[in-house]
Amino acid sequence: MNFPFVCSVIKSLTESSWSHNVSGKKIITLLAGVFVISRILFLYTGVRFDSHPLDGSWQYLDPALLRNDLLNSVYYLHSQPPLFNLFLGLAIKMSAGYESMTFAVIYTMLGLLLSLSMFLIMVRLGVNEKLSFALTVLFMISPSAILYENGLFYTYPVTCLLCLATISIHRLAERATYVDALIFFLLLAVLVLVRSVFHIVWFAFFFVVLLIGKRANWKKVVVGFLVPFSVVLLCYGKNLYLFGMFSTSSWLGMSLAYNTTEKLPVDTVKSLVKKNILSNLSQIEPFSPVSLYLPYLPPVHETGIPALDNQFKSTGAINYNHIAYLEASKVYLKDSCTVIRYFPITYLVSVVGAFRVFMIPSNEYHKLRVNRDHIELLESIYNPLFYGQLPSVRGQPLGVFPKESLGKAIWHRIEQVGFFIVLMY
């Protein structure tokens, strides 16, 4: 990573007439001081960076491959966009056995950058400085910020990138220089290449919006767009050439199956399989080990690429980048579309369930449990006060609605929702 370039980008994003005056510098320095003190206090309470997801997270390549066969493995990565795994591999190579410490330092720096970015966004949009400061501090010490800052996942970096992109597009709207346009689209490109939910169409949408909104500066918008878009298009093209998919992730079918086929009663699925309406794979839980799929798929030949051939990682976790998942996901996608056509209400109820989870405080995510006990008191105060969650439900598993008592499950679990979050939206 070109750190001088990164620093120049950050400086370019954060500089403004406000940040150069005495008041602006004092507030930014105070915010940085509050951040440092808060992190020392949380460290004292027992919060530690959790790098264990590196061993077993579905989204990550085998740590052994990241260490010893990085570029080849990332090139043949079809399950996820390439950039975060590339970041993991580079960090591992540079850490020399101190991976957890390296990631902890990087994520702490991201936390500071995120906090300052949020503050600058509010100031740029005309929010009172004192209110902006108070809201930033409230976020800075929130359970969600602490937990995601201390977990090795792409959520925190993505949030930081979104805030930087917000500042960037605001600057672009103000003055529209070539550099501003390039920085904005570079940030969007990084987002697309880190998380698959940010699609190439999402990228192109902002290009169209800026072309319309900044017609007088259309040349600057086009020039800033071309190189980042070309990189994204190259990644999509590579996946189309190698795997026959114009996407950065091959998991669409398996992910959709969770909200369609998996929500049907077992007897219904069996009946549909017998009638050849659904495939045999519909009876297998999505994201199962490859060995369960192989009897129902065309013969799978080894490619000679460990990232595609190994059924398991060196840590014992399942390798979801195995070549067979490409075909399995296609079958799941076909089955899922069939279920949506035959049982639209089932899919609609799944979407409602996902909406409920979206409205639950983000610190409730079960994979953050490593550090949750250390901030139990903070959560018990913060969640009811700022999210509007009932105090009695802290820590209850989000779970999945039981198929046999859907209505009852919905009423029982609606109390997990942060009602202030609902009102805000």
Side-chain angles (χ1 to χ4, degrees):
M1 182 179 292
N2 190 331
F3 285 104
F5 173 72
V6 173
C7 291
S8 65
V9 169
I10 293 171
K11 181 180 179 181
S12 176
L13 285 172
T14 56
E15 67 178 5
S16 66
S17 58
W18 176 87
S19 63
H20 285 305
N21 66 41
V22 176
S23 174
K25 290 181 178 179
K26 283 184 177 179
I27 294 178
I28 288 178
T29 302
L30 184 58
L31 266 179
V34 172
F35 179 87
V36 171
I37 293 172
S38 67
R39 272 33 186 184
I40 293 173
L41 291 175
F42 282 114
L43 190 66
Y44 177 76
T45 64
V47 174
R48 297 292 185 273
F49 189 84
D50 179 24
S51 60
H52 289 101
L54 185 63
D55 296 331
S57 282
W58 297 7
Q59 293 85 354
Y60 303 163
L61 288 164
D62 187 340
L65 294 179
L66 292 175
R67 183 177 289 106
N68 302 314
D69 192 24
L70 177 59
L71 295 181
N72 192 50
S73 299
V74 169
Y75 181 74
Y76 287 101
L77 179 66
H78 62 74
S79 59
Q80 290 289 296
L83 212 52
F84 196 73
N85 273 276
L86 182 61
F87 155 71
L88 293 175
L90 292 174
I92 290 172
K93 286 178 174 292
M94 293 188 299
S95 298
Y98 295 93
E99 290 89 352
S100 187
M101 183 182 299
T102 300
F103 288 125
V105 171
I106 293 173
Y107 271 63
T108 301
M109 293 172 64
L110 285 174
L112 177 59
L113 181 58
L114 173 58
S115 299
L116 295 178
S117 298
M118 293 180 72
F119 174 75
L120 289 172
I121 289 170
M122 286 186 279
V123 171
R124 280 179 164 272
L125 295 178
V127 180
N128 177 273
E129 289 180 13
K130 292 181 180 179
L131 179 58
S132 299
F133 179 87
L135 292 174
T136 302
V137 171
L138 286 175
F139 167 79
M140 194 186 291
I141 63 170
S142 68
S144 295
I146 299 305
L147 293 174
Y148 284 94
E149 189 179 301
N150 286 280
L152 186 58
F153 207 59
Y154 48 53
T155 306
Y156 214 60
V158 163
T159 307
C160 189
L161 286 167
L162 285 169
C163 282
L164 291 175
T166 303
I167 296 174
S168 180
I169 197 172
H170 190 267
R171 285 169 57 86
L172 188 55
E174 283 183 329
R175 62 185 196 181
T177 67
Y178 286 106
V179 173
D180 289 327
L182 178 61
I183 290 175
F184 174 66
F185 286 114
L186 277 174
L187 289 168
L188 293 197
V190 173
L191 282 163
V192 172
L193 297 177
V194 166
R195 189 167 184 183
S196 60
V197 70
F198 300 102
H199 196 269
I200 193 171
V201 175
W202 173 84
F203 191 135
F205 167 79
F206 286 97
F207 173 63
V208 174
V209 168
L210 285 170
L211 271 184
I212 297 172
K214 305 294 290 185
R215 288 188 293 272
N217 302 105
W218 68 270
K219 287 185 179 179
K220 296 174 182 177
V221 173
V222 170
V223 170
F225 171 78
L226 281 177
V227 173
F229 182 75
S230 298
V231 173
V232 170
L233 191 61
L234 188 64
C235 179
Y236 273 75
K238 182 267 294 184
N239 285 345
L240 182 63
Y241 174 73
L242 291 177
F243 307 116
M245 62 173 204
F246 192 68
S247 174
T248 54
S249 174
S250 57
W251 287 358
L252 175 60
M254 293 187 288
S255 298
L256 189 58
Y258 265 126
N259 293 306
T260 52
T261 313
E262 280 293 292
K263 294 297 188 291
L264 295 176
V266 175
D267 292 340
T268 301
V269 174
K270 288 182 178 179
S271 175
L272 293 172
V273 171
K274 286 182 180 180
K275 296 176 182 178
N276 291 322
I277 296 175
L278 294 180
S279 71
N280 285 303
L281 257 66
S282 63
Q283 300 180 86
I284 304 173
E285 184 179 358
F287 295 98
S288 291
V290 170
S291 57
L292 297 181
Y293 297 130
L294 293 180
Y296 307 106
L297 296 175
V300 177
H301 304 288
E302 288 199 357
T303 63
I305 309 297
L308 297 175
D309 294 339
N310 296 344
Q311 293 191 23
F312 296 93
K313 303 177 187 179
S314 59
T315 60
I318 298 173
N319 172 29
Y320 288 106
N321 196 61
H322 189 280
I323 192 69
Y325 284 109
L326 283 163
E327 188 62 34
S329 191
K330 293 177 184 177
V331 177
Y332 274 121
L333 180 59
K334 183 178 178 181
D335 285 343
S336 297
C337 292
T338 301
V339 171
I340 292 173
R341 189 168 67 251
Y342 278 82
F343 305 95
I345 300 301
T346 298
Y347 177 64
L348 181 61
V349 170
S350 296
V351 173
V352 172
F355 182 75
R356 177 197 74 100
V357 174
F358 182 73
M359 293 298 172
I360 292 174
S362 55
N363 55 286
E364 293 282 348
Y365 185 42
H366 68 92
K367 290 190 177 181
L368 302 172
R369 59 183 176 272
V370 173
N371 281 310
R372 286 193 69 190
D373 289 342
H374 300 299
I375 59 170
E376 182 177 356
L377 178 60
L378 177 63
E379 279 191 330
S380 65
I381 298 171
Y382 202 98
N383 284 14
L385 191 60
F386 295 104
Y387 294 136
Q389 186 186 53
L390 299 179
S392 59
V393 300
R394 179 198 173 272
Q396 289 184 14
L398 300 182
V400 179
F401 296 153
K403 297 175 183 178
E404 69 277 7
S405 56
L406 184 58
K408 186 177 179 181
I410 290 176
W411 284 113
H412 277 177
R413 297 184 181 185
I414 198 70
E415 59 185 355
Q416 287 183 310
V417 164
F419 292 102
F420 294 166
I421 300 175
V422 178
L423 289 174
M424 287 291 183
Y425 274 97

